Amino acid sequence: MSEPDDHGRRTAADEEHHGIVMGLAFGQMAAQTLGAATRLGVFDLIGDGERTADSLAEVLGTRPRATYRLLRALAALRLLAEGAPGTFTTTPAGDLLRSGTPGSLLSVARMFTDPAMLRGWDLLDESVRTERPTFDTVFGTDFFGHLKKHPELSAEFNAAMSQATRMAADAIPHHYDFGRFGTVVDVGGGDGTLLAAILRAHPGPRGVVHDSAEGLAQAADRFARDGLTDRVTLETGDFFASVPAGGDLYLLKSVIHDWDDERCATILRHIRAVVPDDGALLLVEPVLPATVPGDGSAFPYLTDLNMMVNVGGRERTADDFSALCDTAGFALRAITPLPHPIRYRLIEATPV
């Protein structure tokens, strides 16, 4: 630990360490500031131009001084820029919080600052003691059961998952030979963002999206917009009970990290029961390194805690994935990274 200099002053290293701790301590305040701004629609209202705090307050029905204080905080967070005093424009990062911009992350920001995603974190220490989701304690039901009871929140969650998938979906079709398969079954595929990208890039295969009715709610529109309706079948079901037969590649993106090992093995065993011996399993997930790198991102580890708190799942290492595949009758064959900054890996396994 660094010490103050001979005059009792903090060194640059002291200030850096102090800043790290204070930034983390105030992190939830930053997230709540982001959440309030997206719920109010601040970024859409500013749009491509500039707006004063007073004019925004008039549209929003908020107090002018309080609105100015919110906008100043957003500028300090580099989501807005204040040119003249009280006048604001969006920054490139803030543009990602507008509804109509390419690569928008508006639904991601709304979903991950919603009480449904945050309240279980208030009991993180309990989750650490038990390794069980505290979401259930707070809401009296599991996360996906809660979504089922709240269609608007479920639609926001689906939109957030689609937005979070978009960058990976642009890359994945070009880093794996999907064209050698006849039918790709996307298990837990939601609105079909990833499968649509694969089918656009590879004209040969057909596709199946298997998910709950809530998960599939926006899928038909997605494939219709992309002109892929005649190449896709939507299958409503529960992957803990079964998965559709007939595929030779079974694809799961951001599904395995939602569940504990026992339930993941159940899903994979259902796939093993229907995949042909010359077929394949492709998981799209982050892969944690064996030890935490000193210069790496905290994001996958925070996601790991989020999985524990809200759904009871976890992020895994390569050894974890290998053991899980082995338990379900698959052998892990390859782990392929995607281009930076995409954090997902393509984890390929084949039946044994």
Side-chain angles (χ1 to χ4, degrees):
M1 180 175 178
S2 58
E3 298 291 338
D5 65 17
D6 292 341
H7 301 286
R9 294 173 299 199
R10 289 185 179 272
T11 65
D14 290 329
E15 293 298 333
E16 179 184 359
H17 302 153
H18 184 271
I20 289 172
V21 174
M22 293 299 290
L24 293 172
F26 281 74
Q28 187 176 93
M29 298 179 195
Q32 295 289 4
T33 300
L34 170 64
T38 56
R39 290 191 296 274
L40 288 167
V42 165
F43 301 96
D44 277 341
L45 287 171
I46 294 176
D48 288 328
E50 62 179 22
R51 295 290 292 263
T52 65
D54 286 348
S55 70
L56 277 174
E58 184 176 357
V59 174
L60 293 171
T62 53
R63 300 295 293 269
R65 186 168 65 182
T67 304
Y68 180 44
R69 293 167 72 179
L70 175 66
L71 298 179
R72 284 190 310 194
L74 293 169
L77 292 170
R78 302 181 183 180
L79 299 174
L80 298 179
E82 185 176 19
T87 301
F88 296 86
T89 58
T90 59
T91 65
D95 286 339
L96 294 177
L97 296 165
R98 292 164 53 192
S99 56
T101 55
S104 174
L105 294 172
L106 178 59
S107 289
V108 173
R110 284 177 176 167
M111 189 68 217
F112 282 86
T113 58
D114 190 274
M117 196 66 75
L118 293 179
R119 286 186 59 193
W121 277 84
D122 292 338
L123 302 176
L124 174 60
D125 52 345
E126 177 185 323
S127 195
V128 171
R129 291 188 187 98
T130 65
E131 205 170 5
R132 297 182 61 83
T134 50
F135 182 98
D136 305 37
T137 304
V138 173
F139 290 95
T141 186
D142 65 274
F143 181 80
F144 293 105
H146 184 76
L147 291 183
K148 189 172 183 178
K149 295 177 182 177
H150 297 83
E152 289 186 4
L153 184 64
S154 181
E156 190 78 84
F157 177 78
N158 290 346
M161 295 303 98
S162 177
Q163 289 180 355
T165 296
R166 192 181 300 119
M167 184 182 294
D170 289 342
I172 288 170
H174 309 292
H175 288 80
Y176 187 77
D177 184 12
F178 292 95
R180 62 192 172 97
F181 297 100
T183 300
V184 179
V185 181
D186 190 353
V187 178
D191 77 344
T193 295
L194 177 54
L195 184 60
I198 291 167
L199 297 182
R200 288 196 304 268
H202 299 273
R206 292 185 53 80
V208 177
V209 184
H210 177 68
D211 211 323
S212 65
E214 295 75 30
L216 290 173
Q218 288 79 37
D221 290 342
R222 157 76 59 191
F223 290 109
R225 288 196 303 271
D226 289 346
L228 295 168
T229 301
D230 61 346
R231 293 178 59 196
V232 177
T233 302
L234 305 182
E235 292 273 358
T236 302
D238 176 2
F239 47 48
F240 291 120
S242 65
V243 299
D248 49 353
L249 175 65
Y250 284 78
L251 169 69
L252 298 91
K253 181 197 172 291
S254 301
V255 171
I256 293 301
H257 77 165
D258 283 342
W259 309 104
D260 59 32
D261 287 350
E262 182 178 352
R263 287 192 279 186
C264 287
T266 296
I267 299 169
L268 297 183
R269 287 188 185 113
H270 288 317
I271 294 172
R272 182 63 188 92
V274 296
V275 67
D277 289 342
D278 60 350
L281 169 71
L282 187 66
L283 309 178
V284 183
E285 298 278 355
V287 177
L288 298 180
T291 60
V292 180
D295 57 352
S297 170
F299 185 76
Y301 300 96
L302 295 176
T303 300
D304 180 46
L305 292 179
N306 189 55
M307 294 298 104
M308 180 172 68
V309 164
N310 281 321
V311 295
R314 67 188 182 99
E315 306 293 5
R316 292 173 169 85
T317 66
D319 286 346
D320 292 330
F321 281 112
S322 181
L324 186 59
C325 288
D326 183 66
T327 298
F330 290 93
L332 195 155
R333 301 300 184 191
I335 297 179
T336 304
L338 293 170
H340 181 78
I342 303 171
R343 62 190 181 90
Y344 295 105
R345 302 290 187 267
L346 304 181
I347 305 160
E348 183 179 24
T350 53
V352 292

